[in-house]
Amino acid sequence: MATESDGEEETATATGKLTGSPQLSVDDDLREMAKKAAWSVSSCKPGNGVLSLRDENLDTYWQSDGAQPHLVNIQFQKKVKLQLVVLYVDFKLDESYTPSKISIRAGDGFHNLKEIKTVELVKPVGWVHISLSGNDPRETFIHTFMLQIAVLSNHLNGRDTHIRQIKIYGPRPNPVPLQPFHFTSKEFITYSVLR
Amino acid sequence: METLMVDRVQSSLRLLMYSNAIFLCERLCAEFPSELNLQLLATCYLLNNQAYCAYQILKGTKMPQSRYLFAVSCFRMNLLHEAEAALCPVNEPNAEACNLSTMYFEVPNGAAGHYLLGLIYRFTGRRAYAIDHFTQALAIDPLLWAAYEELCALGAVEESNEYFNDVYAQRIQQQHLSDSSSHNSSTGSEYCSLPPSAAVNSVDSVPRQSKQFLANSTREISTLQQGVVFAKVQTTNSGTSNLSQFNTPSPAATQLSGVAPPPLCRNAQVFLNAASSDGSMKSNLNLAVQAPRRKFMDEGKLRKVSGRLFSDSGPRRSTRLSAEASIIANSNAPQVGGNGSNHSAKFLGGLSSSSSAKANLASSRSLTFKKGQSWIAESFEEGRRPEIFDDSRTENMATTSSSISMSADGRCLEQGKATGDLAHDSRLMSGTQELLGLLRIFGEGYRLSCLYRCQEALEVYLKLSQKQFNTGWVLSQVGRAHFELVDYFEADHFFELARRVSPCTLEGMDTYSTVLYHLKEEMKLSYLAQELISVDRLSPQACPRPNWCVLPMPMYQHMVHRYVPKRKKEKRKEEEEVKEESVEEDGVQRVRKNKVVEEQEEAVEEEEEAYQMFVAHSGWREVGGSQWHTYKEEGTWAMGRSNWTARNGGGPCVYLSKDWYVTLEDFENGIKCYQSALQADDRHYNSWYGLGVVYLRQEKFEFAEHHLRRAYNINPRSSVLMCYLGMALHSLKRNQEALEIMEQAISADKQNPLPVYQKANILVSLERYDEALKELDQLSESAPHESSIYALMGKIYKRLEMHEKAMFYFGLALDLKPPAADVATIKAAMEKLYLPDEMDDNL
């Protein structure tokens, strides 16, 4: 039942109720994954390049400079498990530059990207959390080499887009390497690492 | 005037009024710019933690004492090469004050010099030299614990019996005497040397060594020279240049009152009596210092230091140390007394109330003072060479002084006898032996724990008396041993005791915080961090050792968690600038500054503070401009700066950052950090282990095996290390070896469930399912809340195509709430239970 209701919420938000929240709230068992990834964008205005997406600064932004859809590509060094994408957008500041429809695609490379999620944003201000999980527990994570975030349209039919931050989360790795399962009991964890 | 100033400086130092001392000493140096005065000034600066000033003053000086002080200031300033050069110059230019013994003065200050040199070599990575010098330091001063500690840390101690042996007892006794005599000669007051040494069993029955140094110079008898010559120590008659300054006349009474330090209250009375009765006698130099000290390092440092040094450094340490709970209850109480011969005699008499005192009144000899002579003979009959008097100038002795000293002698003897001082020699002997015995236990325990033979170390520590055991040092050592044995509960217990005994001791607290981290005692950890920070704040410069570090990773994490706000620093800097501008514009605006701004300001300050404290206390030095990095990862904040380097860092100091890097999966930086940690201390097995784990994660199994094996060789009793080594071997498909080492790990620590689990894992890969199941079954008895056991069992049953059982165990595993990632895999496995093994690579 729980998963079902979760799913309902997700579909509800996926149909256009995402508005963003002032706090970046992420579960403790997730961590930011994309530090080591290669980031690229389809186009950008000079001075508002791809670096602005990752500078931890909410005052700077990436601005596209070309035809839609505007793409952000994130390529990982190896296959990774991903669960959550978080964007920071601000309708109050960016107005017609604010994305309204975003598609998230995954695949091994540019040649075989598949859409896994489409969301609509309504005048969002703050962090927009986009879960990548499917309804099936087996689909909690997507296992992929590459992620593409496509801005399909903007508010007020704006042409170019502004995104201020993007973060990508996946599950934490097992603290003990090479283990099929995490340890859960105190006895095991006590002995599992040295400090 | 000079003497008066010197005395005032010294008394200021004794009373810890360093700035006053510095001021006076600067005047002194301006008036009388001799090197000795400069030394005094440098000492003032060093005590006041202004090594850079001392460095400036002493640069280019030649006397051994100056060179030693210079080396100390260089060392404190991290100028290791200069310090080394100062300690061992190419040519030994000084023939003046260091002709006591070539052996002692190759390196200034003997044992202390060697110790310092050893430290320098250690920090510059020359292990063999370091060991050599520490050994020499120990050979010169068998009680130099600090050198022994370093030797242990370098892993160079085979048997602690080699050190702290009874053989040294004689040596130590001689040393006491030679100390005093050399000390006397270096102050240039060799006219009437009274080098008594005494063994004291003090009231609290703590074995204690008390030394007395008496330096006397009397103007009237300045022509008299008497040297006390011992085995290796030849007192020379060459009039040293330093003499003059001690010989300027000044009223005895003033000096006495000025000099008598607080701990000498008892004796001061006697002093004054003596002064009044012998008022006609002009004694110029009155140095009386009682410095009960515990640390042998101090002893070493002070050895052969000139009388002035004694008088200033001794009491300072004593007060500092006495504030702490006695960790090593062996206290040495050297007494430096320099005054007219008659005064010293009385002084001795007064002292004898607390100690058995032996006086060798040189002047008495020429007077054929029978009692005195017999007494002297007594005191030196055992194991010591009788003093050889330098008679060359005795005939010059003024009759007045001799008569006075005679009377003084008589008084001294009366008092000495009145307090019932007998058999002091045997007491001295037994005292030294007792002390050595005690140190042997400590040495053995410390050596064993450095070799990570913790169980044995614990047994050794248990041999200590209750009094000794219940001290901060021992308790935290015991805690550390338990920590190494992965017995965190016991470790916690002992660290808690240690904190109760000495709440302000910071040593070992890094280990404690790690223990708490392991136990997931967040509250306690927070509390500890807060407390330690408050202790730190009270004494921001209380860290003489540059590699001192109390804020290890978990604690640091806590601190940062508390202090580091979420926004970037640069941005806040700008805000600050804006704010400053507005303040400049008009004061009114400042008052109206809204609350948000204030909060931000506070946050900036707090972050700065956290950072400053971190830098100050971890011994990290920043090199080059760098940026702040804040990460919100793993549910906590980490803060790091790029381009950091740790100079002089002991292992833990570098170690703390690397755990961050590794949890952040920044392996490159992690490896760098581990490597620099190992550069600082290649016996830091945690770093070898850390490197091994990083390589394991990167699937560079050969490297992993190598590094884990290094760790294992350092700490061959750790079941955790064995377990990891087994895992590396397993990954290398050397399963037989892996199984063997797992067996070894299982027998090494019955409490550790991990090797059993890993063994089962290996058995699974060898397709020996039944054995694996048996192991896991047993394991689930001892650790019933471990979901991974059930998951693994489910996986085995799935392989065996026993679907019912597999389902059952997968269900159990899920019930124990594994993390989401595991839930996903287990659920996937359950759904595909009846499908052929296509998901095997997943599981």
Side-chain angles (χ1 to χ4, degrees), chain A residues 58-70:
Chain A
L58 300 177
D59 295 340
T60 61
Y61 49 84
W62 162 63
Q63 180 174 341
S64 64
D65 187 16
Q68 286 174 347
H70 308 296

Side-chain angles (χ1 to χ4, degrees), chain B residues 540-555:
Chain B
Q541 290 180 313
C543 47
R545 288 168 62 191
N547 59 349
W548 185 73
C549 165
V550 251
L551 299 171
M553 198 277 294
M555 201 183 295

Side-chain angles (χ1 to χ4, degrees), chain B residues 575-592:
Chain B
E575 285 170 6
E576 247 180 346
E577 277 164 19
V578 172
K579 266 179 262 148
E580 276 166 17
E581 276 169 23
S582 69
V583 171
E584 277 162 29
E585 277 164 21
D586 60 341
V588 188
Q589 217 174 341
R590 191 190 172 90
V591 183
R592 283 194 199 148

Side-chain angles (χ1 to χ4, degrees), chain B residues 45-167:
Chain B
Y45 277 126
L46 278 175
L47 290 176
N48 202 26
N49 258 324
Q50 290 172 291
Y52 42 92
C53 291
Y55 174 86
Q56 205 62 36
I57 293 166
L58 291 170
K59 194 154 188 170
T61 47
K62 290 280 182 280
M63 275 166 61
Q65 180 56 31
S66 313
R67 285 191 294 134
Y68 179 73
L69 289 173
F70 181 66
V72 170
S73 34
C74 288
F75 184 73
R76 289 202 190 163
M77 292 167 70
N78 263 331
L79 303 166
L80 296 182
H81 290 287
E82 274 192 68
E84 186 190 340
L87 281 177
C88 31
V90 189
N91 293 319
E92 200 74 2
N94 45 330
E96 195 174 49
C98 72
N99 42 10
L100 290 174
S101 153
T102 47
M103 186 192 92
Y104 278 38
F105 276 87
E106 268 171 59
V107 173
N109 276 346
H114 278 295
Y115 173 68
L116 187 58
L117 206 49
L119 280 182
I120 292 165
Y121 282 131
R122 196 186 148 191
F123 288 141
T124 47
R126 286 168 286 182
R127 185 170 176 270
Y129 282 115
I131 290 173
D132 185 47
H133 279 283
F134 287 134
T135 319
Q136 277 188 47
L138 264 180
I140 295 168
D141 178 5
L143 298 177
L144 193 60
W145 171 262
Y148 180 77
E149 218 172 62
E150 293 292 344
L151 272 180
C152 284
L154 287 167
V157 182
E158 298 301 319
E159 273 300 320
S160 69
N161 287 340
E162 280 176 43
Y163 308 93
F164 309 124
N165 207 324
D166 278 341
V167 179

Side-chain angles (χ1 to χ4, degrees), chain A residues 31-32 35 59 137-138 141 172 174-175 178-179 181-185 188 190-195, chain B residues 488 517 553 633-634 655 659 665 686 689 697 724 731 751-752 754 758 785-787 822 828 831:
Chain A
R31 80 215 200 283
E32 159 68 23
K35 242 190 318 284
D59 295 340
R138 280 174 294 170
F141 310 108
R172 275 199 230 179
N174 197 330
L178 306 177
Q179 296 305 301
F181 304 107
H182 285 70
F183 297 135
T184 55
S185 64
F188 269 53
T190 309
Y191 284 98
S192 64
V193 281
L194 289 174
R195 288 276 181 184
Chain B
Y488 297 128
Y517 175 84
M553 198 277 294
E633 295 287 328
E634 305 279 317
Y655 181 67
D659 271 339
E665 290 171 84
N686 310 54
Y689 155 84
R697 229 179 250 281
Y724 271 89
S731 317
Q751 300 291 314
N752 187 351
L754 275 182
Q758 295 301 343
H785 296 296
E786 180 53 56
S787 107
D822 281 3
E831 298 215 351

Side-chain angles (χ1 to χ4, degrees), chain A residues 41-113:
Chain A
V41 287
S42 56
S43 65
C44 67
K45 217 184 91 186
N48 293 327
V50 65
L51 290 177
S52 307
L53 283 175
R54 300 288 296 169
D55 62 358
E56 309 268 325
N57 188 346
L58 300 177
D59 295 340
T60 61
Y61 49 84
W62 162 63
Q63 180 174 341
S64 64
D65 187 16
Q68 286 174 347
H70 308 296
L71 308 175
V72 180
N73 307 305
I74 305 123
Q75 286 162 287
F76 296 93
Q77 288 164 333
K78 54 182 184 181
K79 219 169 187 181
V80 290
K81 283 180 181 171
L82 303 176
Q83 195 179 15
L84 183 67
V85 172
V86 186
L87 317 171
Y88 191 92
V89 284
D90 194 337
F91 180 72
K92 278 184 191 151
L93 292 173
D94 299 330
E95 295 178 336
S96 71
Y97 287 98
T98 315
S100 66
K101 194 168 184 190
I102 291 175
S103 158
I104 297 191
R105 300 148 181 180
D108 295 336
F110 286 99
H111 57 282
N112 66 350
L113 289 173

Side-chain angles (χ1 to χ4, degrees), chain B residues 299-506:
Chain B
E299 185 187 345
K301 274 184 188 158
L302 290 176
R303 179 149 298 149
K304 288 169 214 82
V305 174
S306 70
R308 309 157 161 210
L309 266 185
F310 258 107
S311 56
D312 52 39
S313 56
R316 186 190 76 88
R317 288 210 170 83
S318 75
T319 39
R320 193 189 72 204
L321 294 173
S322 61
E324 299 170 350
S326 63
I327 293 170
I328 308 163
N330 312 307
S331 57
N332 287 345
Q335 310 215 343
V336 182
N339 50 353
S341 57
N342 44 350
H343 298 162
S344 65
K346 295 198 171 238
F347 170 52
L348 273 181
L351 267 182
S352 59
S353 61
S354 69
S355 64
S356 63
K358 274 174 286 163
N360 161 27
L361 286 178
S363 57
S364 64
R365 187 210 171 255
S366 62
L367 300 169
T368 63
F369 200 82
K370 260 193 246 162
K371 272 186 181 174
Q373 280 292 56
S374 61
W375 195 45
I376 292 162
E378 248 174 47
S379 63
F380 286 100
E381 70 194 349
E382 191 181 296
R384 222 167 301 132
R385 315 237 172 144
E387 57 275 26
I388 302 156
F389 292 111
D390 179 5
D391 287 337
S392 60
R393 303 223 205 153
T394 31
E395 64 269 20
N396 295 337
M397 195 205 283
T399 44
T400 52
S401 72
S402 64
S403 64
I404 290 164
S405 64
M406 179 172 72
S407 62
D409 221 2
R411 227 174 280 144
C412 160
L413 280 174
E414 277 163 25
Q415 281 170 353
K417 286 192 175 164
T419 48
D421 169 65
L422 289 170
H424 38 260
D425 274 326
S426 59
R427 247 196 257 173
L428 172 60
M429 199 63 192
S430 68
T432 11
Q433 273 168 359
E434 229 171 293
L435 175 60
L436 281 168
L438 192 67
L439 278 188
R440 253 202 309 281
I441 301 180
F442 275 101
E444 183 67 12
Y446 191 73
R447 181 181 71 90
L448 287 172
S449 67
C450 276
L451 293 174
Y452 301 107
R453 288 156 65 179
C454 299
Q455 200 58 50
E456 293 160 56
L458 284 178
E459 282 159 22
V460 171
Y461 285 131
L462 282 178
K463 282 190 222 157
L464 289 168
S465 69
Q466 205 59 30
K467 283 191 299 259
Q468 287 292 342
F469 192 81
N470 284 329
T471 50
W473 193 87
V474 178
L475 287 171
S476 57
Q477 282 297 319
V478 170
R480 194 178 145 232
H482 280 294
F483 166 74
E484 297 290 356
L485 288 169
V486 206
D487 189 350
Y488 297 128
F489 290 103
E490 280 297 298
D492 180 30
H493 171 69
F494 280 105
F495 276 120
E496 217 172 79
L497 281 181
R499 274 196 69 69
R500 213 172 294 155
V501 171
S502 54
C504 287
T505 308
L506 300 169

